[in-house]
Amino acid sequence: MQNRRTTSLTRRALSRRSALLGGAGLLGAAGLAACGSDDSGSGSGSGDGGGGTITLGFIPSWTDGLSTAYLLQNRLEAMGYTVEFNEISDAALLYTGLANGDFDIYPSAWPEVTHAQYMEQYGDSIEDLDAYYDNAKLTMAVPEYVDISSIEDLQGQADRFGGRIVGIEPGAGLTAAVQDNVMPEYELEGDYELVTSSTAAMLTELESAVDAEEDIVVTLWRPFWANSAFPVKDLEDPKGALGETEALHFLAREGFGEEFPDVAEFIGGIKLDDEQYGSLEDTVVNEYGEGQYPEAIDAWLEENPDVLPAVEEG
């Protein structure tokens, strides 16, 4: 069972995340919602730190991108740039928009494994500004009280899980990995359905199951705050169907580095280890939460003054 502190933390974080995703649901058919000035262009202005505009595109329910977007906003504004956000609802729309130059930077991409199919399609029109974290991986997980330890153990036990694997967004790379690789590799097709909806919906089901000590299997990933907020354990993947550990990258539209060389150099120098990344996401999502993301970044930078490359303030 969760203790009271963990349950309270989970509910606060889940509430914030659900509210955030609810806002993202208003994006419309195009999947893009500009936040900031009325300027619809991307990359306007010069690259000398003298007032140019840089637009960040990210999926707000994926809190690695949320956290790094606000981190970049803080630092790029300190360099003299105006920063705007495009909140996007789907990974395919995100890569399409970046390749088309609809925004400048995707601040936390999974291009090596999880989003490899999008890079194959759009990579020629995308610049890789470098990786900032090198220990990311996709997972499937169950609550700690569930007496299985491997994806293989799901075979023949569909009834106890209601024949469901609870997933996230349909367009997520994690969804494709489970549907196309995990389920056939482990012979789960026919017995289990991968239920897709949204990250917030998955977390709601996970919380309800944990509170009732019911069996549930969900799709997750690391790094992600939910792994510490909920009493869950990763299922072993002896066949490697979920793919190898990969790095998280900053991606940009084609030509960004030439137009904004100082920004590209700064971003390329950002490197976070497990502890640094974990504290960033926890501060943004759990300690502060929706409506206080800029304040969360200020607090994190105060606690981690020497983690990021120095910037020449504009």
Side-chain angles (χ1 to χ4, degrees):
M1 290 289 290
Q2 292 173 288
N3 61 34
R4 292 182 179 178
R5 180 181 180 278
T6 302
T7 301
S8 176
L9 171 63
T10 297
R11 286 175 174 159
R12 291 200 309 272
L14 186 60
S15 175
R16 291 164 179 163
R17 189 180 181 92
S18 297
L20 177 64
L21 193 65
L26 303 176
L27 298 179
L32 302 178
C35 303
S37 76
D38 293 332
D39 182 16
S40 60
S42 179
S44 59
S46 65
D48 59 2
T53 299
I54 295 174
T55 306
L56 310 180
F58 60 98
I59 298 173
S61 62
W62 297 356
T63 50
D64 56 317
L66 173 76
S67 301
T68 51
Y70 278 90
L71 181 64
L72 288 186
Q73 179 193 42
N74 181 291
R75 295 293 77 205
L76 298 188
E77 288 183 347
M79 295 169 68
Y81 291 99
T82 298
V83 176
E84 297 179 353
F85 291 155
N86 274 347
E87 294 184 354
I88 301 171
S89 60
D90 180 83
L93 292 171
L94 192 153
Y95 280 88
T96 301
L98 185 61
N100 289 339
D102 296 335
F103 54 91
D104 296 301
I105 298 172
Y106 174 17
S108 188
W110 299 57
E112 299 174 3
V113 179
T114 305
H115 295 158
Q117 74 272 30
Y118 298 123
M119 291 301 289
E120 290 174 6
Q121 185 173 0
Y122 300 111
D124 290 344
S125 300
I126 292 174
E127 289 185 12
D128 188 345
L129 301 181
D130 215 341
Y132 75 90
Y133 177 82
D134 63 4
N135 195 32
K137 64 178 181 178
L138 305 179
T139 68
M140 290 176 61
V142 297
E144 292 174 349
Y145 52 77
V146 176
D147 60 346
I148 66 172
S149 59
S150 171
I151 298 174
E152 288 182 317
D153 298 334
L154 293 173
Q155 296 176 2
Q157 301 205 54
D159 287 348
R160 67 184 291 192
F161 295 102
R164 302 166 75 246
I165 298 170
V166 183
I168 57 171
E169 289 78 6
L174 173 56
T175 299
V178 173
Q179 188 74 65
D180 299 339
N181 300 331
V182 173
M183 296 184 74
E185 281 286 337
Y186 290 97
E187 300 179 0
L188 303 179
E189 295 173 310
D191 294 327
Y192 289 87
E193 175 190 3
L194 176 59
V195 180
T196 60
S197 178
S198 68
T199 300
M202 177 274 291
L203 291 171
T204 297
E205 288 209 40
L206 177 59
E207 181 181 41
S208 295
V210 167
D211 285 348
E213 287 197 354
E214 296 174 347
D215 293 342
I216 189 172
V217 56
V218 299
T219 64
L220 283 174
W221 61 93
R222 294 181 182 275
F224 185 31
W225 62 266
N227 291 289
S228 57
F230 293 95
V232 294
K233 60 183 179 182
D234 294 345
L235 294 178
E236 297 172 6
D237 178 19
K239 297 184 178 183
L242 285 168
E244 301 296 325
T245 298
E246 61 183 308
L248 303 184
H249 292 241
F250 292 110
L251 300 183
R253 60 170 174 80
E254 188 175 17
F256 178 85
E258 182 177 354
E259 186 174 350
F260 297 97
D262 56 334
V263 176
E265 181 180 4
F266 167 73
I267 290 175
I270 298 175
K271 307 296 176 188
L272 302 180
D273 60 26
D274 288 342
E275 182 178 355
Q276 292 161 351
Y277 175 85
S279 68
L280 172 64
E281 189 176 55
D282 183 62
T283 301
V284 171
V285 177
N286 295 330
E287 291 187 23
Y288 284 78
E290 186 181 13
Q292 295 184 300
Y293 299 136
E295 292 83 356
I297 295 300
D298 287 338
W300 187 82
L301 289 171
E302 185 174 351
E303 291 293 322
N304 298 271
D306 301 319
V307 170
L308 301 185
V311 301
E312 183 176 345
E313 299 195 4

